[in-house]
Amino acid sequence: MRIDHVILGARTIAPLRELLWERHGFGITDGSPNPDGTASWIVPFDTPDVQYLELLVTNDERELGSTDFGRAFLERTADGPTFLNWAVLTDDIAATARRVEQVTGTDPGLLRGESVRADGQRVPWAEAAFDLSWRSRVLPFFLSYGNPADRADRVAGDLRAAGHRVRPTALAGLVTGPAREPAWARRWPGLEGLAVTVHDTAGPEITAVRVETGAGDTVVQLP
């Protein structure tokens, strides 16, 4: 398993775009709308592993207000940009989902679907443990993709569209507080093999993301 992406959230794209450009030299691209009332922008990384930062912002506030997820999104972004979640890529999503169920005693919510980017390209995916991860705020959910070669082929175009001043090359790790679920959080699948630093004095949230770039390492933090 490896880190696939980290999700940052805000009501609008402007503060995230400005922060990432001014502090780190990162550009953004895409802006695809999602069925849940959000829109997704990305900070693409210059790596064949297809890592990125996802910037999730409000697209349809009425739609967001009609669901538990949407209301939670609006609440969590009310005070400005925030880290929302992160995803880990797995080679066997079904086996990972079963492991989550064994660890938590909860249905991992294995889902399969397809996203459509702003350029019309389709991205089939499978996902597990999103709800558990969303509520935890510090534990990742799990993803697999049906077209990894196609994903890799899109990286060059995404990098051109983003126009980075400084090119990010890898998600090197995260800093978080402890999970609210200590009884099973330490047994979360794959966590022991990922570069995650847990500060016991922090709240249950992501506080920083370490990023390797062509100009050296940098740490993304939000105000």
Side-chain angles (χ1 to χ4, degrees):
M1 293 186 187
R2 63 170 177 80
I3 301 172
D4 185 76
H5 67 277
V6 178
I7 305 173
L8 293 74
R11 291 295 181 88
T12 67
I13 193 60
L16 287 171
R17 178 194 282 122
E18 181 178 351
L19 182 147
L20 291 167
W21 180 258
E22 295 300 328
R23 291 190 184 178
H24 305 287
F26 300 161
I28 66 174
T29 187
D30 198 20
S32 301
N34 300 313
D36 59 13
T38 63
S40 295
W41 297 77
I42 64 168
V43 177
F45 283 32
D46 189 3
T47 169
D49 288 338
V50 197
Q51 291 180 309
Y52 57 99
L53 300 177
E54 180 178 7
L55 314 180
L56 203 63
V57 299
T58 301
N59 184 59
D60 184 337
E61 190 163 341
R62 183 175 180 178
E63 176 63 30
L64 283 168
S66 70
T67 65
D68 289 342
F69 166 81
R71 288 187 290 271
F73 172 86
L74 292 171
E75 179 182 352
R76 290 174 65 176
T77 57
D79 294 330
T82 187
F83 290 109
L84 292 176
N85 212 342
W86 58 298
V88 168
L89 197 67
T90 176
D91 292 332
D92 191 335
I93 193 74
T96 302
R98 289 193 297 271
R99 178 60 181 151
V100 170
E101 187 167 15
Q102 291 169 357
V103 167
T104 67
T106 302
D107 181 354
L110 177 58
L111 299 174
R112 299 183 187 276
E114 184 179 69
S115 300
V116 181
R117 288 165 45 108
D119 59 10
Q121 293 179 316
R122 296 181 178 276
V123 184
W125 50 263
E127 167 191 288
F130 180 84
D131 287 344
L132 287 164
S133 172
W134 175 258
R135 292 198 298 270
S136 167
R137 301 194 182 199
V138 296
L139 297 173
F141 66 101
F142 303 95
L143 284 173
S144 67
Y145 293 97
N147 57 355
D150 289 347
R151 286 187 84 216
D153 287 344
R154 285 193 294 269
V155 170
D158 285 344
L159 289 169
R160 287 193 298 271
H164 297 312
R165 188 175 71 243
V166 176
R167 282 200 173 193
T169 57
L171 281 165
L174 287 83
V175 180
T176 77
R180 294 190 183 97
E181 305 82 3
W184 45 257
R186 289 186 295 275
R187 295 182 288 129
W188 197 249
L191 200 60
E192 71 282 354
L194 299 171
V196 180
T197 301
V198 178
H199 288 166
D200 290 336
T201 57
E205 59 186 354
I206 299 167
T207 58
V209 177
R210 299 192 300 273
V211 177
E212 296 175 7
T213 81
D217 292 357
T218 189
V219 177
V220 176
Q221 294 178 296
L222 299 177

